[in-house]
Amino acid sequence: MDPAGRTTGRLLPTANPVDLLTVGTEKVEATLLDAGAPLVIVTADTARLAAVSFTDWQVEVLPELERLDAVRRAGAVAMGLADSPETAERAIPKLAVVGPDDDADVDVQIMMLSMGNPHPALAITGSVGLTIAAATPGTIVQRALRMPVGEDLRIRTPAGTISTWRRSIDGGDVVGSTRTARVLARAHLPLPHSSHTTVAANHREKETIVVSSNRPEAETLLPGAQSSELAAVAQQAEPPQHSRRTVLTAVGLFAALGVGSTIFGGRMLNPPATTEDGDFAGETLKLTIPLAEGGGTDTWARFIGSEFVHFVPGVPGFAPTNEAGGEGITGSNHFAASARESGTDILVSTATTVVPWVLGRKAVKYSFERLTPILVNGTGGVIYARKAAGVNSVSDLVNRKKPLVFGGITATGLDLTTLVAFDLLGADTTATFGFEGRGPVNLALQRGEIDIDYTTTSSYASAVEGIEKEGKAVVLMSFGQLDSNGKVARDPNFPDVPTVVEVYRQIHGEDPSGEKLEAYKTLLGLTYTYQKGLWAPAGTPAKAVDLLRASAHKMAADNDFNERADKILGGYPIAADEQLASRVAAAYTVTDSTKQYVLRLLHDTYGIAVD
């Protein structure tokens, strides 16, 4: 209800439908609008997406996120929400990228950025402002419309098309959305004859339309829907005429939440960090986790962070934030661009974010050479094969009549270390990628769909140990661990299993050498021995880094902590000693020859060209 000017007092805080913002040496057009939530609205051309298919916007925008955040922060200053770009809040204002759409069923296409990341849908507060902007002459949204709109607006988002509406109810201006449902799939299901149904033949195909809203519990099945009914689903019903009292009651709650967020999220409760006095009392360690909630890295980071703060003098607070997207690249890029060099902003790394950096992917704007390690923790793993594929020992990896099929998730992730191991050994393998996780790969191996796989230490007992005892699979080798001299040593969790290097000796009768070995050792260090870590910006004061590192070293030596950490860490110790920086620097030094070898391997063997 009456959403205009709730934060700044005016729908257009500068009174202009379009402003020219100065960002560095660049002049950028933007609509600054306050309705539902303060918005900075820019064109697809400004975001350098005008020549890109809308379906690719979420990926192609990744290299532009740092620049677009600078535009957003400049907009915050122009709207009076911040005194300087550096003090602008991360969540307010939000930024929207707008472009015209040629589809007659859509008025405009829009992608929102939320907390610096491309968002697949629209927050309701964002859609409120965009709906009003579409009806405000001269704004970027209004200029992008195919034709003038009435009370209803159809917006294409990366997640699908939604419809919003604007009405006058009881004399007040009201903006809303009827539903955001979209068709997910069509399925043809042959139904067997049943005594409880009457069918013309033994089987009949029925088409089921699955419609999902943004809320999982709102899923609806429409059995037997035909194309005409599908069109009816897409047609938005006229919203009921809500009373002003009902709308105000609902909006009042969100208004109170918004005021609370503004007050408690502002600078009043975020004084500058003082971390060089040997005491973190009153501070908060903010962990950026660049992957989704609930995964292995998220579980590790939240456990480590919640334990770690109790070993830091002053016992600071702990605030983990997940910034998923772009295979971990989005959150890592944002951290590199905006993290404070105070000792309180910490980045979580894992193999998923390290490998894209190693490969030099265009979207990667962070560099581990410009970060300082606080602590690192490793893991291990083994390579195993299906006995029914004719594999009983490592000698069965070579000189085969039929290559072994490896099941992979993606060649540019953790699988890369295994692919380099195969190449080093000269194993006769091919690969099938696209599995959703190691669990599905393991099941495919048990069904005979693939022949060879790997698993990390944490899932070895559940995934491999049982089928090995049953005689269905054989463990061939472990990846090993890099020792303090940079050599491949046996994994303490698999002391009786030979490493990849030892298996090379068994197969070829000599020690491995050359670029393949160097590439394998590099990836072993990056993706296993030092797989996960906590990092501070390179400019963080040395006293703060030393205190954090000493606190982590103390935690690593604590017996109670290690008992609690046994299942999470899998027996691999936390490293935070005085030699940590030099060891990690050596492990994270990737030579040009190693990088070029990996790129050639991906291209020549697997047909993958890295952007």
Side-chain angles (χ1 to χ4, degrees), residues 447-485:
R447 292 192 298 262
E449 297 165 3
I450 65 153
D451 306 315
I452 192 166
D453 182 26
Y454 74 92
T455 189
T456 56
T457 306
S458 59
S459 57
Y460 168 77
S462 60
V464 179
E465 194 170 39
I467 59 175
E468 182 186 23
K469 289 180 179 178
E470 293 172 2
K472 297 178 180 178
V474 56
V475 173
L476 299 170
M477 68 197 88
S478 77
F479 292 102
Q481 294 283 299
L482 284 186
D483 64 16
S484 58
N485 297 315

Side-chain angles (χ1 to χ4, degrees), residues 350-373:
T350 187
T352 303
T353 55
V354 171
V355 171
W357 170 70
V358 172
L359 296 177
R361 291 185 58 180
K362 182 174 63 176
V364 172
K365 302 302 180 184
Y366 56 90
S367 172
F368 289 98
E369 294 173 347
R370 296 194 294 271
L371 296 170
T372 300

Side-chain angles (χ1 to χ4, degrees), residues 68-406:
L68 290 176
D69 191 62
V71 173
R72 187 190 67 81
R73 290 174 179 271
V77 175
M79 297 173 81
L81 298 173
D83 295 330
S84 67
E86 293 74 23
T87 59
E89 297 293 336
R90 286 193 62 194
I92 299 175
K94 297 186 182 299
L95 185 136
V97 181
V98 177
D101 198 299
D102 295 330
D103 190 337
D105 294 327
V106 177
D107 296 311
V108 69
Q109 54 190 19
I110 298 175
M111 181 177 71
M112 291 283 291
L113 301 186
S114 178
M115 298 293 284
N117 299 322
H119 197 288
L122 291 183
I124 291 297
T125 50
S127 65
V128 168
L130 293 165
T131 301
I132 292 181
T136 303
T139 67
I140 283 174
V141 180
Q142 192 267 339
R143 283 167 22 186
L145 295 174
R146 292 181 61 258
M147 59 183 64
V149 296
E151 293 184 330
D152 299 312
L153 180 69
R154 299 161 300 178
I155 305 172
R156 188 189 305 282
T157 75
T161 300
I162 71 169
S163 291
T164 61
W165 48 267
R166 185 180 184 187
R167 306 279 193 275
S168 177
I169 299 178
D170 294 341
D173 190 23
V174 180
V175 180
S177 176
T178 304
R179 72 163 73 93
T180 60
R182 60 194 175 92
V183 175
L184 296 180
R186 295 185 185 188
H188 291 276
L189 306 178
L191 302 180
H193 179 76
S194 169
S195 60
H196 299 289
T197 59
T198 301
V199 293
N202 286 339
H203 294 84
R204 183 181 70 177
E205 286 190 344
K206 295 186 70 177
E207 183 180 29
T208 296
I209 306 299
V210 183
V211 181
S212 173
S213 76
N214 284 346
R215 295 175 56 184
E217 64 269 27
E219 286 192 358
T220 306
L221 293 178
L222 304 180
Q226 302 302 319
S227 58
S228 60
E229 292 168 300
L230 176 59
V233 170
Q235 176 115 18
Q236 303 300 314
E238 180 72 16
Q241 296 294 311
H242 305 294
S243 71
R244 185 178 181 88
R245 179 177 179 181
T246 300
V247 176
L248 286 175
T249 300
V251 173
L253 173 61
F254 288 98
L257 291 173
V259 172
S261 298
T262 302
I263 295 175
F264 292 103
R267 285 168 290 158
M268 182 175 69
L269 296 183
N270 287 283
T274 55
T275 56
E276 297 184 74
D277 58 0
D279 188 352
F280 273 56
E283 306 295 346
T284 298
L285 289 186
K286 301 173 183 177
L287 260 65
T288 296
I289 307 169
L291 296 167
E293 296 90 339
T297 298
D298 180 60
T299 301
W300 179 88
R302 289 173 183 272
F303 172 78
I304 292 296
S306 61
E307 293 281 337
F308 182 37
V309 292
H310 294 287
F311 290 87
V312 178
V315 191
F318 172 55
T321 301
N322 295 82
E323 291 194 37
E327 300 176 6
I329 295 173
T330 303
S332 301
N333 279 349
H334 191 272
F335 180 89
S338 62
R340 296 186 303 168
E341 297 176 339
S342 62
T344 59
D345 284 11
I346 306 294
L347 175 67
V348 176
S349 71
T350 187
T352 303
T353 55
V354 171
V355 171
W357 170 70
V358 172
L359 296 177
R361 291 185 58 180
K362 182 174 63 176
V364 172
K365 302 302 180 184
Y366 56 90
S367 172
F368 289 98
E369 294 173 347
R370 296 194 294 271
L371 296 170
T372 300
I374 301 299
L375 65 84
V376 293
N377 176 228
T379 189
V382 295
I383 296 174
Y384 66 101
R386 185 170 59 94
K387 280 194 171 183
V391 183
N392 293 290
S393 68
V394 295
S395 61
D396 296 319
L397 294 175
V398 296
N399 301 319
R400 297 185 58 84
K401 293 181 180 180
K402 181 181 178 181
L404 297 170
V405 180
F406 167 70

Side-chain angles (χ1 to χ4, degrees), residues 378-382 394 457 475-506 520-521 524 528-529 570-573:
T379 189
V382 295
V394 295
T457 306
V475 173
L476 299 170
M477 68 197 88
S478 77
F479 292 102
Q481 294 283 299
L482 284 186
D483 64 16
S484 58
N485 297 315
K487 295 184 177 181
V488 180
R490 286 205 174 188
D491 189 319
N493 277 294
F494 304 102
D496 300 324
V497 180
T499 67
V500 170
V501 171
E502 291 175 290
V503 167
Y504 183 95
R505 294 193 198 106
Q506 292 179 35
Y520 177 73
K521 291 196 297 184
L524 176 64
Y528 283 93
T529 305
Y572 298 94

